[in-house]
Amino acid sequence: MSYSHFEMPPALYAAYAEASTKQFYPGATVRCSGTPMFRSQLARDLGCLLDVDRNVVAWLCLPRQVDADIGPHIFDFLVDYDDGTSVYLDAVDEEGSPDITEAAAIAGLQHRFEFRDRIEDGFRLLNARDLLRYARWRTPLNDRIRMLAALDDAGSLQIGECLGIFREVAPMTAIAWMALHRLIELDLDECMIGPETLVRRYQR
């Protein structure tokens, strides 16, 4: 949902104004379909996870407000999934507000709270942050072809075995960009990305 400058509800305008003054690491995104705007580091971290979620098609920051008993509420994200569903998400520390859940249901919206312990669990967030550091770069065509041809020949390779493949850009820059753009896949959950991490062609 979009609004002109004059039609925008005051609470939504205030959320935009607040978020636009804040910067959180990492700065780049891949599947954010609008201007990246985050009100907290926790919301930024959830955005990192959305960028490496293979089921996510696109996501939008601060998409709309609902009027709850506790007052106007602005969702952190609207997420479009590959099964055709769209879900509004809020990043929260420990527990969500039942008033917001009720307001979303009354408005006919699918809504879910994402909790800090789940967002920060394991290695996925740390690896997503590392990959997104390189999101503004691009792997040149020659290097992409060499990498994909090597994977076609070997089936899978460790990152340490891929370092000599790339000639036009730094190896981890190339690997990160290709992983973020779903040309190759890495295991982001087992451990921190390292020389032994397996690289495979992306498969749906």
Side-chain angles (χ1 to χ4, degrees), residues 19-32:
S20 66
T21 66
K22 298 181 178 181
Q23 292 185 339
F24 300 101
Y25 176 85
T29 63
V30 178
R31 291 179 180 83
C32 180

Side-chain angles (χ1 to χ4, degrees), residues 2 10 16 18 26 29 33 36 60 69 83 85 91-93 95 130-131 141 143 146-148 165 178 199 202:
S2 62
Y16 284 0
E18 175 193 359
T29 63
S33 58
L60 181 67
D69 288 344
D83 62 0
T85 60
V92 295
D93 281 307
E95 60 183 40
D130 281 342
L131 293 176
L141 179 60
D143 281 349
R146 278 191 286 269
M147 181 64 176
L148 295 175
I165 293 174
M178 292 181 72
V199 184
Y202 183 83

Side-chain angles (χ1 to χ4, degrees), residues 101-123:
T101 300
E102 181 181 10
I106 291 172
L109 308 176
Q110 291 195 56
H111 173 258
R112 185 170 72 243
F113 290 107
E114 294 287 355
F115 302 103
R116 179 181 293 276
D117 58 355
R118 181 180 180 277
I119 293 170
E120 296 179 347
D121 184 49
F123 296 99

Side-chain angles (χ1 to χ4, degrees), residues 23-26 38-48 116 119 129:
Q23 292 185 339
F24 300 101
Y25 176 85
F38 310 99
R39 292 172 290 183
S40 68
Q41 183 64 56
L42 188 62
R44 177 66 194 105
D45 289 342
L46 178 53
C48 292
R116 179 181 293 276
I119 293 170
R129 286 176 176 170

